[in-house]
C-alpha cells in the first residue's frame, strides 16, 4: 500500500537556523505530494504542494521538490522564526478518489 | 467568513453516550472528509463524501456513522462512546477528488471520553 515516512521530532532549532524535514513516500503510481502545517490548537493548513516529478512547491520561505528517483519531498527553510514552531505533516494523495495519507508529523520548536 | 467550521470545539462525555459533531463548509466544495488525530498527532482518514455520496469508508467501527444532508454539511455521529474514541476529529473539504486538489481543514473537535 501507499505510505509516507517522515523524520521524527521534536526538532529544536535557534531562530535563523536552517530547517530540513525529511519525507519519503511509497506509492503505486504517481501521487501528488503535500506539506501541511498545524500550529498549536489549530487545524491543518496547506503549506505547499507538488503534483508531478521535479515540481517545486514553495510558500512563506519554505520549499520542497518532488523527487521521483528518490521518492522524496523534503521540506526546507533557510532561516526559521519562532512563529514557525508547529507540527509539519508530509502527505500524499493519489489521483481519482484518493485520500490524503499523512506521515506521523514532525514537531518543530524554534527558540529565540 | 470561516471556510470550514465544526461544532463543538470541545466535547467531554462519558463512556456509553451517543454524540454528534457537525461540520459545515462555505467554499462550495463537492467533497468532504472526516479525519481522526490521535494523541500522538497521527492523522487518519475515516470517511469521505462526494456530492452527498459516501466514497471512502476506512476500517472504522460501525459505531461511527457519517451523514451528509447536503453538499455543505457532513456530520459525524458516534454511538456507545469508548475511551479509545478520545481524539481530535477534523473535518475537511476539497473542490473535487483530483490528486492535486487542496483540502481545507476545520479547527478540529477535541473529544474526551471519561
Amino acid at each position: 500500500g501507499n505510505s509516507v515516512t517522515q523524520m521524527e521530532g521534536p526538532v529544536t532549532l535557534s531562530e535563523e537556523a536552517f530547517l530540513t524535514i525529511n519525507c519519503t513516500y511509497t506509492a503505486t503510481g504517481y501521487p501528488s505530494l503535500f506539506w501541511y502545517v498545524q500550529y498549536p490548537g489549530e487545524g491543518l493548513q496547506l503549506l505547499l504542494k507538488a503534483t508531478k516529478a521535479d515540481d517545486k512547491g514553495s510558500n512563506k520561505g519554505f520549499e520542497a521538490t518532488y523527487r521521483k528517483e528518490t521518492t522524496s519531498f523534503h521540506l526546507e527553510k533557510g532561516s526559521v522564526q519562532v512563529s514557525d514552531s508547529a507540527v509539519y505533516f508530509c502527505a500524499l494523495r493519489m489521483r481519482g478518489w484518493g485520500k490524503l495519507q499523512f506521515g506521523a508529523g514532525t514537531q518543530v520548536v524554534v527558540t529565540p | 467568513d470561516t471556510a470550514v467550521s465544526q461544532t463543538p470545539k470541545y466535547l467531554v462525555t462519558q463512556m456509553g453516550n451517543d454524540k454528534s459533531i457537525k461540520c459545515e463548509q462555505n467554499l462550495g466544495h463537492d467533497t468532504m472528509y472526516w479525519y481522526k488525530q490521535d494523541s500522538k498527532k497521527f492523522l487518519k482518514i475515516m470517511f469521505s463524501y462526494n456530492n452527498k455520496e459516501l466514497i471512502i469508508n476506512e476500517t472504522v467501527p460501525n459505531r461511527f456513522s457519517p451523514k451528509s444532508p447536503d453538499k455543505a454539511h457532513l456530520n459525524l455521529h458516534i454511538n456507545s462512546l469508548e475511551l479509545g474514541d478520545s481524539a481530535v476529529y477534523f473535518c475537511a473539504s476539497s473542490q473535487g477528488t483530483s490528486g492535486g486538489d487542496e483540502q481545507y481543514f476545520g479547527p478540529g473537535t477535541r473529544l474526551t471520553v471519561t
Side-chain angles (χ1 to χ4, degrees):
Chain A
N2 304 325
S3 65
V4 177
T5 302
Q6 61 183 104
M7 60 189 285
E8 285 189 32
V11 174
T12 303
L13 303 161
S14 298
E15 211 164 19
E16 298 183 4
F18 185 87
L19 170 68
T20 299
I21 304 176
N22 289 339
C23 171
T24 57
Y25 68 90
T26 303
T28 51
Y30 302 102
S32 294
L33 300 173
F34 303 82
W35 277 101
Y36 278 83
V37 59
Q38 184 177 27
Y39 297 104
E42 296 185 13
L44 279 76
Q45 301 173 26
L46 179 67
L47 185 57
L48 52 84
K49 70 177 185 182
T51 58
K52 61 183 188 298
D54 300 325
D55 270 1
K56 178 189 278 189
S58 60
N59 186 25
K60 299 181 181 178
F62 290 89
E63 291 184 341
T65 301
Y66 189 140
R67 302 278 188 209
K68 193 175 90 171
E69 63 276 12
T70 54
T71 62
S72 65
F73 193 54
H74 304 321
L75 182 69
E76 296 181 337
K77 185 173 184 183
S79 176
V80 293
Q81 306 300 313
V82 172
S83 58
D84 293 324
S85 298
V87 181
Y88 293 81
F89 292 91
C90 186
L92 68 80
R93 191 174 184 210
M94 305 305 294
R95 289 181 179 80
W97 305 110
K99 60 200 175 196
L100 263 178
Q101 290 174 268
F102 289 92
T106 301
Q107 184 173 11
V108 172
V109 178
V110 181
T111 57
Chain B
D1 288 312
T2 305
V4 182
S5 58
Q6 297 178 227
T7 53
K9 190 167 173 63
Y10 300 96
L11 183 54
V12 181
T13 188
Q14 291 184 325
M15 282 176 57
N17 285 348
D18 303 338
K19 291 293 178 185
S20 291
I21 306 172
K22 296 187 176 183
C23 176
E24 177 180 3
Q25 54 94 4
N26 62 7
L27 297 166
H29 287 167
D30 290 339
T31 310
M32 295 184 73
Y33 312 81
W34 278 110
Y35 289 86
K36 179 180 179 180
Q37 186 176 45
D38 64 22
S39 59
K40 295 185 178 178
K41 299 283 189 185
F42 189 72
L43 274 155
K44 190 170 165 55
I45 184 107
M46 299 174 69
F47 301 103
S48 177
Y49 272 73
N50 178 260
N51 282 319
K52 301 195 300 173
E53 286 193 32
L54 183 67
I55 56 169
I56 294 175
N57 184 353
E58 291 292 287
T59 309
V60 175
N62 57 16
R63 298 182 295 103
F64 290 78
S65 53
K67 283 192 172 49
S68 182
D70 55 58
K71 279 192 343 179
H73 295 84
L74 180 62
N75 303 324
L76 183 66
H77 188 75
I78 316 170
N79 289 327
S80 303
L81 277 154
E82 300 178 357
L83 292 176
D85 297 332
S86 295
V88 181
Y89 292 84
F90 287 101
C91 178
S93 73
S94 66
Q95 179 58 50
T97 56
S98 168
D101 281 345
E102 177 180 352
Q103 292 187 18
Y104 292 79
F105 283 77
T109 296
R110 182 176 292 277
L111 171 65
T112 304
V113 182
T114 62

